[in-house]
């Protein structure tokens, strides 16, 4: 479809059902949850394991053909953990897999198909025992990971840093850096004294933010008719 023909009341009903599904089936899978997250296509969010924590006002964008996965694997030593801070944005295809510890700060943004793993999962010479090569991963506050970035074990990404699309990060990146490449290298520095608008600003007045989202839906979909919507479902044309 080139545009949405969905009538505004249908969109509102979808959101109500979606929020109910998240509260009923998704929220109980987290060990702690700051607030009920906004999740697009929540049935495409796959959560496995214990010690998975999510902060407040998270936005998770799943897609039916590109799941988001949070996985913490148990071991003889202790269950792994995944801790995600407040105001984070997680896009389709993000995979976070922990054998020990992955900690993500506030205001972080992960573009599509980011992969974060704290383990090699198997050794070079001993390939039958998993979890032998594991080191914690730390993503500090306000980090932006571009599309298809890979973060490997033992890496710390410093506050405010940006990792360019397609990069493979095998060594820690200091705060206020822009890094890119395979392996990722620093290509630019960020001025820490310049004012930076962070995602938390969107939710400084949550009621105002969510009302704006609702008003935007009403503006975009308010003129969509029921008959034209049903027709587009059965017999779409080029105008759709």
């Amino acid at each position: 479809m080139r545009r949405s023909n969905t009538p505004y009341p249908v969109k509102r009903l979808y959101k109500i059902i979606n929020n109910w599904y998240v509260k009923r089936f998704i929220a109980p899978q987290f060990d702690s949850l700051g607030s009920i997250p906004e999740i697009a296509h929540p049935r495409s969010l796959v959560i496995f394991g214990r010690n998975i924590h999510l902060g407040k006002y998270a936005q998770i964008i799943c897609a039916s053909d590109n799941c988001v996965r949070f996985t913490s694997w148990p071991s003889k030593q202790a269950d792994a953990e995944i801790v995600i801070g407040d105001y984070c944005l997680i896009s389709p295809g993000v995979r976070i897999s922990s054998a020990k510890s992955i900690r993500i700060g506030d205001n972080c943004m992960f573009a599509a198909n980011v992969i974060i793993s704290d383990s090699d999962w198997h050794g070079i010479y001993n390939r039958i025992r998993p979890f032998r090569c594991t080191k914690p991963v730390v993503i500090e506050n306000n980090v932006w990971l571009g599309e298809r970035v890979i973060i490997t074990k033992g890496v710390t990404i410093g506050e405010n840093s940006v990792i360019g699309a397609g990069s493979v990060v095998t060594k820690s990146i200091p705060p206020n850096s822009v890094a890119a490449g395979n392996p990722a290298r620093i290509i630019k520095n960020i001025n820490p004294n310049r004012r930076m608008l962070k995602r938390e600003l969107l939710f400084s007045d949550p009621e105002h933010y969510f009302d704006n989202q609702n008003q935007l839906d009403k503006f975009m979909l308010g003129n969509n008719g029921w008959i034209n919507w049903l027709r587009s479902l059965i017999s779409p044309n080029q105008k759709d």
Side-chain angles (χ1 to χ4, degrees):
M1 293 292 182
R2 297 180 178 183
R3 62 182 298 272
S4 175
N5 291 304
T6 305
Y8 169 73
V10 173
K11 181 67 176 291
R12 288 289 294 165
L13 179 61
Y14 170 79
K15 283 190 173 182
I16 292 171
I17 295 172
N18 191 83
N19 290 341
W20 172 83
Y21 184 91
V22 171
K23 290 179 182 179
R24 177 65 179 84
F25 296 104
I26 301 298
Q29 298 184 60
F30 291 97
D31 289 78
S32 67
L33 189 62
S35 61
I36 299 301
E38 290 185 87
I39 304 177
H41 300 282
R43 284 179 292 179
S44 296
L45 174 60
V46 180
I47 302 170
F48 176 84
R50 300 181 181 274
N51 300 324
I52 300 177
H53 306 267
L54 183 64
K56 61 186 179 182
Y57 299 118
Q59 292 181 305
I60 303 174
I61 306 170
C62 305
S64 57
D65 61 343
N66 204 7
C67 294
V68 171
R69 297 178 182 271
F70 302 150
T71 305
S72 66
W73 290 98
S75 66
K76 291 182 178 179
Q77 289 76 25
D79 288 343
E81 66 171 5
I82 297 172
V83 181
I84 303 172
D86 301 333
Y87 313 111
C88 289
L89 171 66
I90 297 173
S91 301
V94 168
R95 286 169 36 200
I96 302 175
S97 303
S98 176
K100 188 170 187 179
S101 175
I102 296 175
R103 289 185 166 265
I104 297 164
D106 301 335
N107 295 295
C108 289
M109 302 190 302
F110 297 165
N113 301 306
V114 163
I115 297 175
I116 304 173
S117 174
D118 65 0
S119 178
D120 292 337
W121 304 104
H122 297 276
I124 294 176
Y125 298 103
N126 184 349
R127 303 187 184 186
I128 61 174
R129 293 186 63 188
F131 315 128
R132 302 293 291 178
C133 306
T134 302
K135 292 181 181 178
V137 170
V138 177
I139 311 293
E140 295 184 351
N141 294 338
N142 202 37
V143 167
W144 176 9
L145 304 182
E147 188 166 354
R148 296 188 182 277
V149 165
I150 298 175
I151 307 294
T152 63
K153 67 175 185 180
V155 164
T156 294
I157 308 293
E159 188 171 6
N160 300 326
S161 289
V162 178
I163 309 299
S167 300
V168 179
V169 186
T170 59
K171 295 183 180 180
S172 295
I173 302 296
N176 302 302
S177 302
V178 178
N182 181 7
R185 294 181 174 85
I186 297 172
I187 59 174
K188 184 178 180 180
N189 293 318
I190 295 172
N191 182 359
N193 298 318
R194 182 171 175 176
R195 185 186 179 210
M196 185 173 295
L197 302 181
K198 302 177 183 179
R199 284 185 53 79
E200 62 190 55
L201 183 63
L202 291 172
F203 303 98
S204 57
D205 184 350
E207 291 186 6
H208 179 68
Y209 169 79
F210 291 116
D211 182 64
N212 275 349
Q213 296 298 105
N214 182 52
Q215 292 302 320
L216 179 61
D217 283 340
K218 187 177 293 187
F219 174 77
M220 297 295 294
L221 307 175
N223 293 326
N224 287 350
W226 292 87
I227 294 176
N228 187 56
W229 172 57
L230 292 172
R231 189 271 314 153
S232 70
L233 296 178
I234 299 169
S235 180
N237 57 38
Q238 287 186 333
K239 294 181 179 181
D240 298 323

